[in-house]
Structures are given as C-alpha cells and as structure tokens.
Amino acid sequence: MGNAYFLTMQPTFTQGLVLGQVSIFALLFVILKYLFFVSAKEDAQATLLYQPRLAHSGESAEDGSLGDSTPESSTERKADSAESADWLNVVLHLVLEAYRSKLRDNLSGPEGDEVARKRVEAFANKMRPPAFVDPIKVHSVNLGSGAPKLSSARRKVDALSPSESIELDVTYTDSLSISISTAVLFNYPFAAFARLPVSLTITLSIFSSAVLIEPPSPHAEHPTITFTLPSSPSDFVLNLKTTSLMGSRAKLSDVPKLHELIVHQIRKAILDKGSWRVVLPGLASVKEVKDDVEREEKARLEGLQDLRQ
C-alpha cells in the first residue's frame, strides 16, 4: 500500500477547528441518545416485553436461571449481520457540510463560489509539475451537495490478528465537478519548445467501494484510527464524465485517450494513497505517527530484500 495520509483533530486553521467541533459533538449526541440513554416510557415497554419472554423461555423467578430453550440474544444475532450505519451517514454529511462552508468562507451565492474557486486553483497550482504543465486556471468548481453513503457495516476478523475491524460499503453519487484550462509543455528538442492548450471539465458520476476501518489498539504507542481503501482497481467503481478541448487553432474535442489517461491517473492516486490515519487528540501527534509509518515502511522494504536474497 502506498504512503499513509494524515488528518488531525487539532488543526491550526479555522476549518479544522469547526470540523472537529461539529463531528465530535454530533457523534457524542448520537451515541449518547441512541446507544446508551433510554426514556422512562421506552424502559417500561421493554420491561413488559421482556417479562413474558422470560416466562416463555422457562426462567425461574426464584433463581433467575434460563432453560435450555433460550434463544440467541438479539445482540449476538446482530453481531454477525450487516447494519445500515444510517446514523454515521448523518455525521458524515454534517462533516462535509462544514468543509464546504469553510471552503466558501461561509459565503453563499457567487461570492462563495469565487472563494472556493480561488482556493482550489491555488491548491492545483501547488501540486502541478511546473516543468510539464503551465499554470492552471480554474474556471468553476461545484463542491456538490451530498455525501458518501455508508451501508452494510460488518465486523471483520483477521485470523492472524486478535483485533477486529469494521468493513463498510461506500457509495458516492453527487454533482461534484471542476472546469480548468492549462497547457502541456513539450521540452524537446529544448525546454518549452511547444505548448498544447488543454481545457477540461471533469464530473464525478459515481464512486463505489468497500472501506476497512481499523479501531485504535489500546496497546499501541501512538493509537490511530485507520481507513483503508482497496488495493486493486477491480475492487472499486469509479465513473467519471470528461469533456475536453485540445489545440490552439485546430481543436480536438473529447479525445478518448485523454479521458482514459485522466481516469487512470485518478485511479492510481486512489490506490497510491491507500490508507489514512486519523490522529487521536491527546494520544499522539502527526509527527509521531509519521515516524511510525516511516519505520513500518522501512521494515517492510527490508523484509522484501531479505526474501529476495
């Protein structure tokens, strides 16, 4: 798997602060209300429903013992079946809304669109290879309005490890899109020998995959939550729609090979990223976890060298 990427709950900029507050409070509210607390009315109903069941299953009122015909508990049944994870979808939607709002500086309409466009443009130019691509102009950005939908949450036990993980199915369908223009540089026979203008619009149709969530180990020196994506292109679905124009005077539109190249590069980026580790506040720092990853990668490479020898 490729390099790990990190998120921190203690960012130094405003959007990270808001993200942390919204996600933590929303998660605590949902967990406390629906997993632990119960109203007096619900408790009374649960007692009435439970008493006849005990009588039917042969429990003695004197010693509290259960007969041999006691059915498997609902908790045990649910442990082996998939769950909907609807409550987690609510939290995830709120998290993405916080990001969208901060990317737009809490502005609506054209003003917010322009703020988001400038920020995406700055990021794109920071990541571009300057020797091969001219400065990138972002014409428009659609941040979407939905969120990935999580479903079929299930426990996954690794025979080689005592710890358990959670596997979820993720489906993301939205109107997420970006429109850019730039120029590809040709450096032969000398640097910047020619420039090929390119205009692109990329729109996400659907992304579908399974995601593995590994909870933090209490015995780890620097505990983290790890989100792992599939390691093979056949394990996830990525459908993109692209429109393109290439050339200065004689323009080529919607070149199939360009579409294939874009999809291939995005798929490769997903596979290269591989996993994200979320640093838990108060238990570790980003630097400490990065050092852990570097040591793990070094040990993995040394192990491969030993096998080859």
Side-chain angles (χ1 to χ4, degrees):
M1 197 68 67
N3 294 331
Y5 284 68
F6 306 93
L7 300 173
T8 175
M9 295 295 185
Q10 296 175 324
T12 58
F13 47 90
T14 305
Q15 72 177 44
L17 177 62
V18 173
L19 166 63
Q21 292 175 340
V22 171
S23 59
I24 290 175
F25 282 116
L27 184 59
L28 287 176
F29 174 80
V30 173
I31 290 177
L32 290 176
K33 182 174 182 180
Y34 294 101
L35 297 186
F36 296 101
F37 293 167
V38 64
S39 64
K41 181 179 179 180
E42 291 172 337
D43 186 63
Q45 292 176 346
T47 303
L48 291 175
L49 290 173
Y50 186 63
Q51 288 175 345
R53 180 185 174 188
L54 294 178
H56 180 72
S57 61
E59 179 180 5
S60 171
E62 289 79 15
D63 58 15
S65 61
L66 292 176
D68 295 337
S69 61
T70 301
E72 183 181 74
S73 69
S74 60
T75 303
E76 293 173 342
R77 287 197 302 269
K78 289 182 179 179
D80 297 326
S81 61
E83 299 181 3
S84 65
D86 287 341
W87 66 272
L88 190 55
N89 288 328
V90 175
V91 176
L92 182 58
H93 187 84
L94 292 174
V95 169
L96 289 186
E97 281 300 313
Y99 265 115
R100 291 188 182 108
S101 178
K102 291 307 165 186
L103 281 173
R104 299 165 60 91
D105 276 351
N106 295 325
L107 299 174
S108 59
E111 292 182 354
D113 294 340
E114 179 63 14
V115 171
R117 185 198 66 78
K118 288 181 178 179
R119 286 185 169 172
V120 173
E121 184 176 88
F123 176 79
N125 282 289
K126 180 181 178 181
M127 300 301 294
R128 73 179 175 91
F132 300 98
V133 179
D134 260 358
I136 298 172
K137 174 66 175 178
V138 175
H139 299 284
S140 65
V141 174
N142 186 345
L143 300 177
S145 58
K149 182 179 180 181
L150 308 178
S151 62
S152 300
R154 52 201 179 271
R155 288 178 7 186
K156 188 172 183 180
V157 181
D158 188 351
L160 302 177
S161 174
S163 62
E164 294 185 1
S165 54
I166 306 298
E167 191 174 41
L168 294 164
D169 292 332
V170 179
T171 303
Y172 184 36
T173 303
D174 205 348
S175 56
L176 196 68
S177 66
I178 183 172
S179 180
I180 67 173
S181 64
T182 184
V184 179
L185 302 179
F186 292 87
N187 298 314
Y188 184 82
F190 52 84
F193 170 71
R195 299 168 63 256
L196 176 64
V198 178
S199 297
L200 287 172
T201 298
I202 305 172
T203 305
L204 173 68
S205 296
I206 186 172
F207 174 80
S208 179
S209 175
V211 175
L212 191 67
I213 303 176
E214 298 179 43
S217 171
H219 307 293
E221 183 179 2
H222 305 121
T224 59
I225 301 175
T226 305
F227 297 83
T228 304
L229 293 173
S231 57
S232 171
S234 61
D235 293 336
F236 65 90
V237 176
L238 176 66
N239 289 336
L240 297 173
K241 179 183 178 182
T242 62
T243 58
S244 62
L245 282 176
M246 299 176 60
S248 177
R249 296 179 178 83
K251 294 184 181 293
L252 300 175
S253 61
D254 300 337
V255 180
K257 286 296 181 182
L258 182 59
H259 171 79
E260 294 174 7
L261 176 63
I262 293 171
V263 173
H264 172 75
Q265 290 299 323
I266 294 178
R267 283 180 170 272
K268 183 176 182 298
I270 293 174
L271 295 174
D272 287 345
K273 288 181 179 179
S275 64
W276 289 263
R277 295 194 183 188
V278 178
V279 179
L280 301 180
L283 298 182
S285 66
V286 172
K287 183 181 183 304
E288 290 172 336
V289 178
K290 280 185 176 180
D291 292 340
D292 291 344
V293 172
E294 290 176 358
R295 285 193 295 268
E296 293 172 5
E297 184 66 16
K298 182 179 179 180
R300 186 184 70 85
L301 293 176
E302 291 176 351
L304 291 176
Q305 291 177 354
D306 293 339
L307 289 175
R308 291 171 182 172
Q309 293 175 356

